[in-house]
Amino acid sequence: MSIIPKRDQLTPKTFLKAESDMETKYMNPYLAGFFLGLLLLATIYITGRGLGASGAVKSGVITAVETVAPAHTNSAEFYKEYKTEHPGSPLKSWLVFEVAGVLIGALLSGLISNRLNFTLETTPGVQPKIRIVTALAGGLLFGFGSQLGRGCTSGAALSGMAVLSTGGIITMMAIFGGAYGFAWFFRKLWLKNQE
Amino acid sequence: MGPLVPELIGEELNLVIAFFIGIGFGFILEQAGFSTSKKLVGLFYGYDFTVLRVFFTAGITAMLGLVIMAHFSLIDLSMVYVNPTFLWSAVIGGLIMGLGFVVGGFCPGTSFCAAAIGKIDALIFIAGGALGVLVFAEAYPALEPLYKAEFWGNVRIFETLGMSQGLFAFLLTVMALGAFYATGIIEKKVNKGETNEATTRRVFTSFAVVFLILGIAAIFLPDKRESVLSDMNNKEALDGIEFSRISIDELALRLMNNDKKYQIIDTRSEQEYALFHLPGAINVPLEKFYGKENAKVFRDKSVKRIFIGANKEDEIKAAYVATQIGIKDPLVLEGGLQKFREEIIGFDKAEAVNKGLNADTERFRLKAASLIPVLIEKDKQAGAPKKVIKKVMGGC
């Protein structure tokens, strides 16, 4: 970490230098992608379904609402539909177990690559306060969008692309297309130091 | 044949597997650098295309793998979960997620990875995600019409576009390789000569060549099931293929003797089967010969199978498909089920005289005409064995 200059010394050049020095520690993207593809293929071969993530958040939310307001889950349409489609505890779902694994796997990876660190990561020039708000707002939008779009980048876009689902590929294009379209408006959140 | 769930792997074991798959998923994402929002959004500003490289390499690897496995009948794609297509919710949901991506810097999967290594912003993103789900849940009654609008079914993209699976797989592979090449140039430009691309030109070229070969191969590796079913409907492909026949009298005799060495496979539709079928006949509509669903029906190699259909053409088709799934010497019923119904079950003495049947046949058919309806009725009472097909549930 010593190679990273202090924040006030950052110029576009040193910033990029520091970034690229850090990145040499990451796996080659094509190799990582190939491994991820093989994992996805194995997942589909074994379980008949792809990977996912946002579904686990949904299970968590439904469990929480069930605990806090059980009467509400019996009357509101969204929860009733979920109940008919997924009888039993919402936590006993495939994606909840998978995401529990994701946490362990990422932790292991962070451990061996020496990246474990409690930190609020911000772009230089962006106040931590702002980062908290953007993280919360971004999460909210993603959580909402993933419910409307029936899956997120993992469940709809990646797994949908692997099985060539029309809906999955449309969602994928909308996510990335949308992000490109909106990127310009939020450039100050990410590009401060490179301008 | 895959998928292994639910027949070979039960529900509980599946959850254990989910956990281990998750470990692999989280590990790879973190190793690839998906645990930092700066790297993730780099894609949208052109300074770091890691996400695109990992994402599309993974996508085409899995896709080409599935195409190849389906060609060699290693996996039954009809049993794999295909995300349903609801046009408007996919588009609008996707756009909202895109907005969430550039604002929050994560997507759900990557936020879990980042949270696991201690990123507080990722934890906040997850909390926001939960809030977003809650908002959706509470607003669901108002959103339901949009959520369920323009349902196209669980369609696959090449069907929507009207091309073959292999051709689409090839085009997507070429697109991905083109995108890798182009974004490499963009990234270099944006970063003023410096690049995050650690892949050497030689490595990238060999990678591209391998995937290009696999992509081209995909064009010539049709889904085995699809190609057999299309051959089946192609008159020329079936021209001149002969199958052993069983006469209607022999079948009647075997039915009356309850001969267990013969198994009747009724290839008509479920509705037709429900209206009328021969005793002991198993209903497997033609398009369902392939695949896991009915693999059990064809497993026992010691019995002889008689394929019956409404007419001769359907029986030939069925027998042809049967040979393609490894059934040796399938039998077809002479004249089809129609003839059997007319001349055995509906045996008419007066007509028999006109046709000049010999006395023995006449006596036999008279007996069969009285016995077989009883057997059919008995079989109906017993009820057809119910096939319960559990399909995998998926999605986020």
Side-chain angles (χ1 to χ4, degrees):
Chain A
M1 286 301 183
S2 57
I3 47 162
I4 305 171
K6 286 218 174 65
R7 190 162 288 176
D8 49 1
Q9 297 171 340
L10 268 179
T11 63
K13 193 85 188 164
T14 55
F15 172 76
L16 278 173
K17 179 82 177 66
E19 287 281 276
S20 63
D21 280 344
M22 275 170 67
E23 265 136 30
T24 52
K25 288 196 290 182
Y26 289 125
M27 194 188 279
N28 179 291
Y30 299 112
L31 188 62
F34 180 65
F35 284 146
L36 184 55
L38 289 184
L39 179 74
L40 179 55
L41 186 60
T43 306
I44 294 171
Y45 177 74
I46 297 170
T47 71
R49 51 157 306 145
L51 300 163
S54 59
V57 180
K58 179 175 170 178
S59 298
V61 168
I62 287 172
T63 310
V65 177
E66 256 179 4
T67 319
V68 178
H72 183 59
T73 52
N74 291 327
S75 62
E77 197 55 36
F78 182 81
Y79 304 99
K80 279 200 298 192
E81 271 185 29
Y82 183 88
K83 272 271 166 230
T84 41
E85 278 168 38
H86 310 82
S89 164
L91 287 184
K92 208 184 151 194
S93 89
W94 200 88
L95 285 172
V96 170
F97 280 73
E98 183 232 51
V99 165
V102 167
L103 293 172
I104 307 277
L107 183 73
L108 283 175
S109 163
L111 194 68
I112 61 169
S113 295
N114 203 17
R115 281 194 285 265
L116 295 186
N117 201 357
F118 259 112
T119 163
L120 182 83
E121 192 183 33
T122 59
T123 313
V126 173
Q127 294 292 318
K129 244 191 300 189
I130 303 281
R131 179 63 189 131
I132 289 171
V133 173
T134 58
L136 191 70
L140 199 148
L141 288 163
F142 225 120
F144 183 90
S146 69
Q147 290 315 301
L148 186 58
R150 295 178 173 76
C152 58
T153 339
S154 322
L158 181 61
S159 305
M161 176 175 161
V163 298
L164 296 176
S165 148
T166 303
I169 290 175
I170 292 174
T171 309
M172 173 184 82
M173 293 194 296
I175 294 176
F176 288 105
Y180 270 106
F182 295 120
W184 186 81
F185 301 99
F186 298 98
R187 65 193 184 285
K188 291 219 165 110
L189 291 178
W190 309 106
L191 292 178
K192 201 96 181 178
N193 253 24
Q194 297 186 30
E195 274 178 359
Chain B
M1 194 191 285
L4 306 181
V5 173
E7 276 92 10
L8 290 175
I9 291 174
E11 198 186 334
E12 310 284 324
L13 181 57
N14 195 13
L15 293 178
V16 178
I17 289 170
F19 178 69
F20 285 102
I21 286 171
I23 291 182
F25 190 26
F27 189 87
I28 297 167
L29 288 183
E30 209 289 323
Q31 280 296 308
F34 281 23
S35 53
T36 160
S37 54
K38 280 190 254 181
K39 209 170 174 62
L40 291 166
V41 295
L43 161 69
F44 307 119
Y45 297 100
Y47 64 79
D48 190 335
F49 283 99
T50 304
V51 172
L52 178 121
R53 293 183 187 119
V54 176
F55 186 90
F56 274 104
T57 307
I60 58 175
T61 301
M63 173 198 70
L64 290 171
L66 284 180
V67 169
I68 292 167
M69 285 171 82
H71 176 75
F72 292 105
S73 289
L74 292 170
I75 190 162
D76 177 3
L77 287 182
S78 70
M79 296 298 281
V80 167
Y81 175 80
V82 174
N83 316 53
T85 304
F86 291 84
L87 180 65
W88 296 120
S89 61
V91 170
I92 298 170
L95 290 175
I96 296 172
M97 286 189 263
L99 181 61
F101 213 152
V102 277
V103 172
F106 289 113
C107 63
T110 52
S111 69
F112 285 121
C113 291
I117 63 158
K119 294 277 166 67
I120 295 162
D121 44 327
L123 272 175
I124 298 168
F125 183 93
I126 296 170
L131 220 54
V133 174
L134 189 65
V135 170
F136 182 86
E138 296 309 317
Y140 185 64
L143 294 165
E144 200 181 343
L146 172 65
Y147 184 66
K148 290 181 177 166
E150 204 60 29
F151 178 48
W152 292 359
N154 294 52
V155 284
R156 306 183 65 212
I157 186 84
F158 54 88
E159 296 164 348
T160 309
L161 299 175
M163 58 173 85
S164 75
Q165 172 174 284
L167 182 62
F168 184 85
F170 167 73
L171 293 176
L172 193 66
T173 307
V174 170
M175 257 173 60
L177 293 174
F180 296 150
Y181 182 74
T183 52
I185 296 171
I186 297 171
E187 190 178 272
K188 216 167 182 175
K189 234 178 190 165
V190 170
N191 292 336
K192 301 182 178 74
E194 304 221 14
T195 174
N196 298 300
E197 171 76 284
T199 318
T200 62
R201 186 161 292 199
R202 227 174 65 192
V203 171
F204 179 76
T205 310
S206 13
F207 161 83
V209 167
V210 169
F211 272 82
L212 206 58
I213 290 170
L214 288 175
I216 293 168
I219 303 177
F220 302 102
L221 298 177
D223 190 317
K224 183 88 188 281
R225 166 211 192 95
E226 301 296 326
S227 63
V228 168
L229 291 182
S230 93
D231 278 355
M232 173 190 95
N233 288 314
N234 175 1
K235 274 219 151 68
E236 282 159 34
L238 297 188
D239 226 22
I241 304 181
E242 284 292 328
F243 298 103
S244 314
R245 292 194 204 135
I246 179 167
S247 72
I248 52 174
D249 293 300
E250 188 186 344
L251 180 65
L253 182 67
R254 300 218 180 268
L255 281 177
M256 290 191 290
N257 291 345
N258 192 15
D259 194 332
K260 294 282 185 207
K261 281 203 270 328
Y262 286 78
Q263 171 67 60
I264 300 171
I265 308 286
D266 191 330
T267 64
R268 297 169 307 150
S269 72
E270 280 167 38
Q271 292 89 331
E272 287 171 294
Y273 175 83
L275 283 176
F276 168 85
H277 63 256
L278 295 177
I282 296 179
N283 181 220
V284 185
L286 266 182
E287 60 276 15
K288 294 194 173 157
F289 273 30
Y290 250 88
K292 269 178 54 128
E293 217 176 295
N294 290 300
K296 253 190 225 142
V297 176
F298 299 114
R299 197 162 292 156
D300 186 355
K301 300 282 179 215
S302 66
V303 296
K304 274 192 107 47
R305 290 183 177 77
I306 305 166
F307 292 87
I308 63 169
N311 51 50
K312 191 181 161 207
E313 283 74 40
D314 282 359
E315 291 187 346
I316 301 271
K317 285 178 185 176
Y320 168 73
V321 179
T323 57
Q324 296 298 306
I325 56 170
I327 306 285
K328 284 200 187 90
D329 201 16
L331 291 169
V332 295
L333 176 63
E334 215 170 54
L337 191 58
Q338 194 55 33
K339 188 176 175 195
F340 188 85
R341 286 183 80 167
E342 278 166 16
E343 297 189 17
I344 301 283
I345 299 172
F347 179 67
D348 183 354
K349 211 169 172 185
E351 243 178 72
V353 176
N354 288 340
K355 280 186 183 164
L357 285 180
N358 67 43
D360 283 343
T361 311
E362 200 185 302
R363 247 195 334 242
F364 171 76
R365 288 197 181 176
L366 206 59
K367 193 175 154 203
S370 68
L371 272 175
I372 289 177
V374 178
L375 292 173
I376 291 173
E377 202 43 47
K378 242 195 209 159
D379 188 59
K380 230 179 187 169
Q381 298 295 321
K386 264 253 175 285
K387 283 181 288 183
V388 186
I389 301 140
K390 278 200 280 180
K391 243 191 141 170
V392 199
M393 288 287 292
C396 254

